[in-house]
Amino acid sequence: MTTIDRRRLLQRAALGGVALGAWTPLGARQAADGPVVSGDQIELRIGRINRMVDGRPSRGIGINGMSPAPLIRLREGQRARIRVVNDLDVETSLHWHGLLVPFQYDGVPGVSFPGIPAGQSFLYDFPVRQNGTYWYHSHSGGQEQEGLYGPIVIDPATPDPVSFDREHVIVLSDHSRSSPATIFRRMKLQPGYYNFQRQTLVGLLSGRDQKAKDRAEWGRMRMDPADIADATGAVYTYLINGHGPVDNWTGAFTPGERVRLRIVNASAMTTLNIRIPGLPLTIVQADGLNVQPVTVDEFQIGVAETYDAIVTPGDAAYTLVGESVDRSGMARATLTPRPGMIAPVPPLRPRPLATMTDMGMGGMGREGKPGRPDPTAEQNASRRLAAPAATAANPAPDHAAMDHTAMGHGETMAGMGEMDHGMRDFANAPGVAKTPGVQTISSMAIDRTDYPGQGLEDVGHRVLNYRQLRSLDRNPDVRAPGRQIDIHLTGNMERFMWGFDGKRMVDTHEPFAFAEGERVRINLINDTMMAHPIHLHGHFFELVTGHGDHSPRKHTVLVQPGGIVSLDLTADAVGDWAFHCHMLYHMLAGMMRVVTVRPQGSAV
């Protein structure tokens, strides 16, 4: 196992030179930061590759001899015919993340097609129905972790509402010289295997870490408040466009230009916090769809999400920072007007600790202080419908309407009497299976769509949250939902078991079933103390954040620990679709199900 000397890493990064191979010429509006494939006929060859990351060799999987894979550039309205050749000695696949394609071309083995056997090829053939920033990756085993991912940019058929002078595609990822099988086995073997930032006695005594009495309660629950991420900088090097922080990928600009950054989180397991010190970011697109511009200084990007941001740099170099959520490492790149210029690399900030809110204890914040009330609770409550599974004897809880401010959240954890936070309170979670895969149920989960993300509450500058996103255009379907379902995100961190409603993919063959064209409210309830990026294939959905017919539409949403995200779905794509947490090892450990959309007239 490789450990990271944080100080040495940052010193090397600060002294690192420009990655000249990534330099793009000045004055180019469409910046080609790497190889691009386009046109009506595209061929992609998947095979083993050798690569160098921060001067160290490693083996991986790539496309056309490289990782990240080439940028696929398409145009809205064209037909894409992409022949994928498998030069591996094992099965492979490609999924077009966020693209609305017929289900047989969605690329998920065992769900929408049988996969691409070794030595064979498969022709993906689909109309391009949208525009924006997307990406593609393997859906076979751990190949995504090994480097099998790449970006997609689809140019609009009509004039782009976002004006810019230059663009750079920024593909973030977490690279390891350990095999996916090794990483997965170690996570199953020991909870927090890669967590080298546990609390210490010195930290407890100094007050830098949690209070000793609260720490004792966490110990009684056999949970670690420093366990923010399963895989950390202890096993990962964080990359931008395939370059480590020492390699320093570098992109050009002319001072005063409007530069569009198309940012893709292609990590296997890492939530990242993105900022460019000294340079505000104006978010103009989320998950490929245009949003009303909102200017921030930092934003959190979950695995598989994409954001487009406009920056207007001056005559100076700037460091683009992608800091892992647990602050164990960072991706680093440079934007500069002239070759050879670099900017200071900020140090890693102190790592965050999980709070009572992260544990699903309602609005309780740091050290037992009440959190902010949910301003959309009344609006959500008025729109919610009775859950189909509810009965008079066992009504479904109205999470959005709960008055969390009146539940005694001012107490510290140690002052909560004999309440056993480790107990499974299944009475509050009808439909959740009582299995070893359920360690806790969030007794007071709340809407956290106004939350910037763990460790970003008090950074002293503007941080994006979901409630700030508003769709640029009116949503295509503004009907009220006809029914609602609750889906619990469940897990047992000690056993590294993850699932939906207490069930892993292997435990049930029953899909989440919808009728074609129906409108459904889905409440994602996170019963774990980790954030989960939940992705639904083949569809976009609207986040219920109080913006009515301009609610943001997404295909992936990061559900914060102890939080609820309500979304409205129009099930308009007939077929079988994968629905899963996009943290690779959570998905492999069971947090995946099938969503079936049945043709009109079929029983649900």
Side-chain angles (χ1 to χ4, degrees):
M1 181 177 60
T2 301
T3 60
I4 289 180
D5 183 323
R6 182 182 302 181
R7 180 175 299 176
R8 179 175 59 84
L9 175 65
L10 293 174
Q11 287 173 343
R12 292 178 65 195
L15 296 174
V18 171
L20 295 176
W23 184 261
T24 55
L26 297 178
R29 182 180 188 274
Q30 302 295 335
D33 295 317
V36 180
V37 294
S38 61
D40 296 328
Q41 303 283 342
I42 294 172
E43 181 172 288
L44 304 175
R45 303 192 73 95
I46 299 176
R48 302 283 174 183
I49 62 170
N50 295 312
R51 61 191 306 192
M52 295 287 289
V53 174
D54 283 351
R56 303 184 69 190
S58 64
R59 292 278 288 166
I61 300 176
I63 290 181
N64 297 357
M66 66 197 68
S67 176
L71 167 65
I72 297 177
R73 190 132 207 162
L74 304 172
R75 186 166 188 84
E76 183 180 14
Q78 78 166 93
R79 189 164 195 91
R81 295 177 176 85
I82 304 174
R83 181 172 177 262
V84 178
V85 182
N86 183 7
D87 289 333
L88 300 172
D89 56 2
V90 295
E91 178 188 287
T92 191
S93 59
L94 285 181
H95 163 60
W96 318 102
H97 187 97
L99 268 61
L100 303 175
V101 303
F103 81 92
Q104 63 267 33
Y105 297 119
D106 189 51
V108 182
V111 176
S112 55
F113 87 138
I116 309 173
Q120 298 189 28
S121 65
F122 183 81
L123 179 65
Y124 292 87
D125 186 344
F126 53 86
V128 180
R129 300 168 49 194
Q130 62 210 96
N131 62 75
T133 302
Y134 302 94
W135 65 296
Y136 62 110
H137 60 85
S138 173
H139 234 288
S140 299
Q143 293 174 1
E144 182 183 344
Q145 174 76 88
E146 295 182 273
L148 194 44
Y149 55 83
I152 300 172
V153 172
I154 304 175
D155 295 308
T158 57
D160 197 325
V162 179
S163 64
F164 58 98
D165 304 303
R166 180 192 304 271
E167 68 178 10
H168 290 297
V169 178
I170 306 295
V171 179
L172 303 153
S173 60
D174 43 22
H175 169 75
S176 180
R177 299 176 78 237
S178 297
S179 71
T182 296
I183 295 173
F184 193 31
R185 177 173 54 83
R186 287 173 173 170
M187 289 176 177
K188 296 284 288 184
L189 183 68
Q190 177 182 325
Y193 186 95
Y194 294 110
N195 179 13
F196 292 173
Q197 301 192 95
R198 292 185 174 93
Q199 297 182 105
T200 64
L201 178 61
V202 172
L204 291 170
L205 295 176
S206 68
R208 186 175 67 247
D209 288 337
Q210 280 187 321
K211 293 179 179 179
K213 58 183 179 180
D214 285 351
R215 183 68 188 94
E217 288 292 329
W218 283 90
R220 187 167 66 87
M221 294 186 297
R222 293 181 294 181
M223 290 184 176
D224 182 359
D227 195 5
I228 302 296
D230 292 310
T232 70
V235 71
Y236 283 146
T237 300
Y238 301 103
L239 310 184
I240 292 180
N241 293 343
H243 294 77
V246 176
D247 292 336
N248 184 26
W249 179 88
T250 301
F253 65 85
T254 296
E257 283 186 322
R258 285 173 56 87
V259 181
R260 183 174 190 164
L261 304 177
R262 298 180 179 268
I263 302 171
V264 178
N265 188 355
S267 298
M269 288 293 289
T270 308
T271 300
L272 292 160
N273 297 325
I274 308 300
R275 70 189 194 276
I276 305 176
L279 194 58
L281 304 111
T282 299
I283 305 299
V284 294
Q285 196 177 92
D287 281 0
L289 300 184
N290 295 319
V291 296
Q292 297 176 25
V294 54
T295 300
V296 296
D297 300 298
E298 186 168 6
F299 65 92
Q300 185 167 98
I301 183 169
V303 176
E305 289 188 299
T306 72
Y307 284 98
D308 284 27
I310 298 292
V311 296
T312 307
D315 190 12
Y318 300 86
T319 296
L320 191 158
V321 176
E323 191 175 47
S324 63
V325 67
D326 72 317
R327 311 272 171 79
S328 63
M330 71 167 63
R332 169 259 188 151
T334 298
L335 300 176
T336 176
R338 289 179 292 280
M341 294 181 66
I342 60 173
V345 179
L348 290 167
R349 295 173 292 190
R351 57 98 166 90
L353 294 175
T355 67
M356 294 301 95
T357 304
D358 299 325
M359 279 295 298
M361 297 306 298
M364 186 171 295
R366 293 185 179 278
E367 298 180 355
K369 297 177 182 178
R372 287 182 293 171
D374 176 8
T376 64
E378 182 178 353
Q379 179 246 355
N380 284 354
S382 67
R383 296 184 61 193
R384 294 172 71 92
L385 304 168
T391 65
N394 187 26
D398 189 347
H399 305 282
M402 288 181 179
D403 182 6
H404 303 293
T405 63
M407 294 186 178
H409 297 156
E411 300 175 88
T412 64
M413 187 172 199
M416 288 186 175
E418 299 302 318
M419 183 176 182
D420 185 351
H421 305 289
M423 291 180 62
R424 305 182 181 95
D425 187 6
F426 290 97
N428 287 334
V432 176
K434 298 181 181 180
T435 68
V438 183
Q439 190 172 21
T440 57
I441 294 292
S442 295
S443 58
M444 302 176 191
I446 59 172
D447 184 322
R448 303 189 74 187
T449 52
D450 65 340
Y451 180 58
Q454 288 174 304
L456 298 178
E457 306 94 330
D458 305 309
V459 291
H461 56 234
R462 298 166 296 181
V463 184
L464 183 72
N465 64 61
Y466 282 143
R467 289 193 195 164
Q468 293 174 286
L469 297 176
R470 294 174 60 96
S471 175
L472 184 64
D473 302 313
R474 188 173 188 263
N475 294 333
D477 190 350
V478 296
R479 294 176 296 159
R483 65 182 175 113
Q484 79 164 351
I485 61 172
D486 287 352
I487 298 177
H488 288 255
L489 317 182
T490 52
N492 186 320
M493 297 175 69
E494 273 199 298
R495 302 187 183 197
F496 204 76
M497 298 172 67
W498 304 95
F500 292 119
D501 294 334
K503 300 175 183 176
R504 299 170 298 164
M505 181 76 166
V506 297
D507 295 329
T508 178
H509 298 291
E510 181 181 353
F512 295 115
F514 304 97
E516 180 185 7
E518 79 164 315
R519 188 84 164 146
V520 184
R521 169 74 52 82
I522 299 174
N523 303 307
L524 300 175
I525 304 166
N526 191 351
D527 290 324
T528 79
M529 58 177 282
M530 283 196 169
H532 297 282
I534 303 300
H535 173 49
L536 173 60
H537 289 219
H539 296 79
F540 281 85
F541 46 75
E542 292 83 60
L543 299 184
V544 181
T545 52
H547 298 309
D549 60 3
H550 282 73
S551 296
R553 301 178 67 218
K554 298 185 96 272
H555 53 63
T556 306
V557 60
L558 186 63
V559 186
Q560 295 290 343
I564 297 175
V565 170
S566 293
L567 56 93
D568 287 344
L569 169 70
T570 299
D572 56 3
V574 172
D576 292 338
W577 304 97
F579 173 69
H580 62 95
C581 175
H582 221 288
M583 288 190 171
L584 176 65
Y585 301 108
H586 290 187
M587 181 184 72
L588 295 177
M591 194 175 274
M592 179 172 175
R593 291 280 289 277
V594 173
V595 163
T596 293
V597 180
R598 298 170 179 169
Q600 290 184 2
S602 301
V604 176

